[in-house]
């Protein structure tokens, strides 16, 4: 058998800010937010990578797939001869894997959008494909990696298939976590049991990615997850304490940070809730770093433009932001651009509120959105679309807790597309309901 020769790994490129990538932040900077300027920090070194001399050929080459499961040379040639799906950046549906017998009609792809990005990229076909391989039917890691990733040409799609498969097939081992009796977290054992804590998720992701030809590292560090409580103002930073694991993966020429454990679900009390959370696949290093601190700062992937690297003290003492509810994420709002950024509002002072989508390509048209309001005491203050591509509202003097709300239903119907004017002019005799997006509290 001929061993596949790995292509040279490019160094992690610095985070370049394209014109269309920074426009939301640039527009946000034009708003009057009364924020202090940030301090620039030095660019971190690139994340470490293993050279071919660090492992023997036998270690780097996965064991052969049993003969009866191995695809034939013709099948392999057919797989690589397929037209590759569009690279990340085009919000198009991807082609499904071709059947072995009669081919199905090709998918009709919508027109390509050259300004698209990873945040609004349509992974629906990749996600549907990844759901077709239940864990109990998998015979080996090699077979699973091939089945999940072979239909896709881009490295981002291959990684997404692995990320999604872990959500469907691996559950967080809450019993072991709370009892302290954590079983082996090796990739083979995690596949066999279907249970893991964060180390098991990260280890299995890295192994499947490696078998699929990707460059992936398991990263250990601190995560602001279950059990985390923000420090009180003025409290000193505690010593560094690692409690989490995730991955750093080279995807189509760019190093990305992925947390498949938090992307699969979450702990609520002492039980585990399975909940697909794709933002832990698409988050930028800046957003990812708000809740993840790697033991090796190289894995922050923050350039000088992103104020990296961040110290442990800056990370753990970062002021607490407003409380965000699940609808905030479901409706694709950005926690990075939400203002005010602090949870606490000074009493008696004016405050400006600004809300943005995660991506500038996402629609802010009234027909595609809901009316958004601030509830402040008895007042209902509508957010109006601003020139910077989001929504804004102001309170002259903050006297009570402020809630950012979405008008959920209006007159017994879904409120999507209802305008602020319609709601304000016809409230009498109508019924409506709210859904929370975020909450700010008064500073003590």
């Amino acid at each position: 058998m001929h061993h596949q020769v790995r292509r040279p790994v490019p160094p992690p490129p610095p985070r370049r800010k394209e014109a269309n990538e920074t426009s939301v932040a640039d527009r946000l900077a034009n708003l009057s937010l009364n924020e202090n300027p940030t301090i620039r920090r030095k660019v971190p070194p690139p994340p470490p990578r293993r050279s071919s001399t660090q492992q023997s050929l036998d270690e780097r080459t996965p064991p052969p797939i049993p003969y009866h499961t191995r695809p034939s040379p013709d099948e392999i040639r057919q797989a690589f001869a397929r037209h590759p799906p569009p690279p990340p950046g085009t919000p198009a549906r991807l082609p499904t894997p071709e059947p072995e017998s009669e081919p199905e009609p090709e998918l009709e792809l919508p027109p390509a959008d050259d300004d698209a990005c990873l945040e609004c990229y349509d992974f629906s076909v990749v996600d549907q494909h990844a759901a077709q391989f239940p864990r109990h039917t998998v015979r080996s890691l090699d077979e699973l990696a091939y089945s999940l990733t072979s239909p896709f040409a881009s490295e981002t799609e291959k990684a997404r298939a692995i990320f999604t498969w872990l959500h469907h097939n691996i559950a967080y081992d809450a019993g072991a976590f709370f009892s302290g009796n954590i079983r082996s977290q090796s990739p083979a054992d995690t596949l066999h049991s279907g249970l893991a804590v964060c180390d098991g998720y990260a280890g299995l992701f890295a192994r499947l990615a490696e078998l699929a030809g990707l460059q992936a590292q398991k990263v250990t560090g601190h995560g602001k997850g279950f059990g985390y409580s923000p420090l009180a103002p003025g409290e000193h930073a505690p010593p560094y304490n690692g409690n989490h694991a995730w991955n750093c993966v080279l995807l189509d020429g760019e190093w990305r940070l992925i947390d498949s454990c938090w992307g699969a679900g979450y702990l609520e009390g002492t039980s585990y809730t399975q909940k697909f959370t794709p933002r832990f696949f698409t988050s930028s290093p800046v957003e990812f770093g708000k809740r993840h601190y790697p033991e090796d700062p190289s894995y922050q992937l923050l350039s000088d433009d992103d104020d990296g690297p961040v110290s442990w003290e800056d990370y753990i003492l970062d002021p607490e932001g407003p409380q965000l509810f699940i609808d905030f994420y479901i409706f694709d709002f950005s926690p990075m651009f939400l203002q005010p950024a602090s949870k606490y509002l000074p009493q008696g002072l004016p405050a400006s509120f600004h809300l943005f989508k995660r991506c500038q390509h996402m629609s802010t048209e009234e027909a595609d959105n809901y009316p958004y309001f601030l509830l402040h005491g008895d007042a209902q203050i509508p957010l109006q679309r601003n020139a910077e591509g989001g929504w804004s509202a102001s309170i002259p003097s903050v006297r009570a807790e402020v809630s950012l709300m979405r008008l959920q239903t209006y007159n017994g119907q879904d409120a999507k597309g209802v305008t602020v004017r319609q709601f304000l002019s016809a409230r009498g005799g109508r019924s409506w309901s709210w859904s929370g997006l975020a909450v700010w509290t008064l500073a003590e």
Side-chain angles (χ1 to χ4, degrees), residues 345-392:
L345 302 177
Q347 186 170 357
L349 295 181
S352 296
F353 298 80
H354 306 286
L355 177 68
F356 290 87
K357 290 286 189 177
R358 290 185 66 87
C359 171
Q360 67 187 44
H361 307 112
M362 295 174 178
S363 174
T364 58
E365 297 295 325
E366 287 182 334
D368 300 321
N369 286 275
Y370 294 78
Y372 306 115
F373 284 78
L374 298 176
L375 303 190
H376 178 235
D378 295 330
Q380 299 173 354
I381 306 168
L383 275 73
Q384 305 288 350
R385 292 174 64 187
N386 58 45
E388 289 73 31
W391 296 265
S392 296

Side-chain angles (χ1 to χ4, degrees), residues 221-223 238-244 293 312:
H222 182 274
Y240 165 80
N241 178 36
N243 62 359
H244 194 40
Y293 184 84
W312 164 253

Side-chain angles (χ1 to χ4, degrees), residues 213-440:
L214 307 180
Q215 298 295 319
Q217 303 284 346
K218 183 173 74 172
V219 182
T220 57
H222 182 274
K224 294 178 180 178
F226 179 84
Y228 167 74
S229 296
L231 299 178
E235 192 172 352
H236 295 293
Y240 165 80
N241 178 36
N243 62 359
H244 194 40
W246 57 94
N247 295 101
C248 181
V249 193
L250 181 66
L251 300 178
D252 301 305
E254 181 180 13
W255 288 98
R256 304 284 306 180
L257 298 169
I258 296 173
D259 190 336
S260 56
C261 177
W262 289 3
Y266 59 91
L267 284 173
E268 189 171 24
T270 58
S271 62
Y272 174 71
T273 298
Q274 186 183 41
K275 175 69 175 179
F276 189 53
T277 312
R279 73 177 182 273
F280 291 113
F281 182 83
T282 61
S283 293
S284 69
V286 175
E287 181 180 351
F288 197 89
K290 290 292 184 180
R291 296 183 60 187
H292 298 76
Y293 184 84
E295 184 175 353
D296 181 348
S298 301
Y299 286 112
Q300 292 182 21
L301 304 186
L302 295 178
S303 68
D304 183 63
D305 287 342
D306 293 323
D307 301 324
V310 174
S311 70
W312 164 253
E313 289 74 19
D314 286 343
Y315 161 80
I316 202 67
L317 295 176
D318 190 35
E320 186 179 3
Q323 181 182 2
L324 303 181
F325 299 106
I326 187 64
D327 271 4
F328 186 91
Y329 297 105
I330 290 176
F331 290 95
D332 295 317
F333 293 111
S334 170
M336 299 302 298
F337 295 130
L338 180 65
Q339 296 291 333
S342 173
K343 175 181 179 178
Y344 300 101
L345 302 177
Q347 186 170 357
L349 295 181
S352 296
F353 298 80
H354 306 286
L355 177 68
F356 290 87
K357 290 286 189 177
R358 290 185 66 87
C359 171
Q360 67 187 44
H361 307 112
M362 295 174 178
S363 174
T364 58
E365 297 295 325
E366 287 182 334
D368 300 321
N369 286 275
Y370 294 78
Y372 306 115
F373 284 78
L374 298 176
L375 303 190
H376 178 235
D378 295 330
Q380 299 173 354
I381 306 168
L383 275 73
Q384 305 288 350
R385 292 174 64 187
N386 58 45
E388 289 73 31
W391 296 265
S392 296
S394 296
I395 297 178
S397 178
V398 176
R399 300 295 182 183
E401 178 180 272
V402 179
S403 299
L404 174 62
M405 310 295 287
R406 171 179 66 93
L407 184 65
Q408 183 174 23
T409 64
Y410 180 67
N411 201 28
Q413 302 293 323
D414 182 70
K416 183 176 182 180
V418 174
T419 67
V420 169
R421 178 177 296 179
Q422 287 174 323
F423 173 72
L424 294 177
S425 63
R427 282 185 292 181
R430 305 273 182 165
S431 63
W432 64 87
S433 65
W434 301 104
S435 173
L437 298 176
V439 171
W440 292 263

Side-chain angles (χ1 to χ4, degrees), residues 11-174:
R15 293 279 301 168
R16 297 189 303 273
K17 290 197 172 183
E18 305 294 342
N20 64 347
E21 180 180 298
T22 59
S23 57
V24 173
D26 293 338
R27 293 194 301 253
L28 181 60
N30 294 328
L31 296 169
S32 178
L33 302 178
N34 300 319
E35 295 290 336
N36 294 325
T38 55
I39 300 174
R40 300 288 187 189
R41 301 181 179 92
K42 296 182 180 179
V43 181
R49 59 181 177 88
R50 293 175 294 177
S51 66
S52 58
T53 59
Q54 288 178 285
Q55 292 178 302
S56 67
L57 182 59
D58 290 338
E59 289 176 326
R60 291 185 292 110
T61 304
I65 303 173
Y67 177 79
H68 61 279
T69 66
R70 183 185 302 281
S72 67
D74 288 337
E75 289 174 326
I76 295 175
R77 283 193 294 271
Q78 183 183 21
F80 283 99
R82 298 177 188 140
H83 294 293
T90 303
R93 291 181 61 82
L94 307 173
T96 56
E98 293 184 7
E100 296 182 358
S101 54
E102 296 181 3
E104 297 179 356
E106 292 186 3
L107 294 174
E108 293 185 6
L109 302 178
D113 182 355
D114 293 335
D115 293 329
C117 67
L118 190 63
E119 286 289 358
C120 55
Y121 187 62
D122 184 3
F123 284 107
S124 59
V125 173
V126 181
D127 293 341
Q128 291 166 12
H129 174 75
Q132 296 175 10
F133 305 94
R135 184 182 58 83
H136 68 272
T137 67
V138 177
R139 290 173 288 189
S140 70
L141 290 169
D142 308 81
E143 176 187 351
L144 176 60
Y146 177 85
S147 299
L148 285 175
T149 66
S150 61
F152 307 110
S154 83
E155 294 173 332
T156 300
E157 293 150 359
K158 292 176 186 289
R160 175 64 174 231
I162 298 170
F163 176 87
T164 304
W165 185 90
L166 288 168
H167 156 68
H168 287 295
N169 294 278
I170 306 299
Y172 193 85
D173 196 346

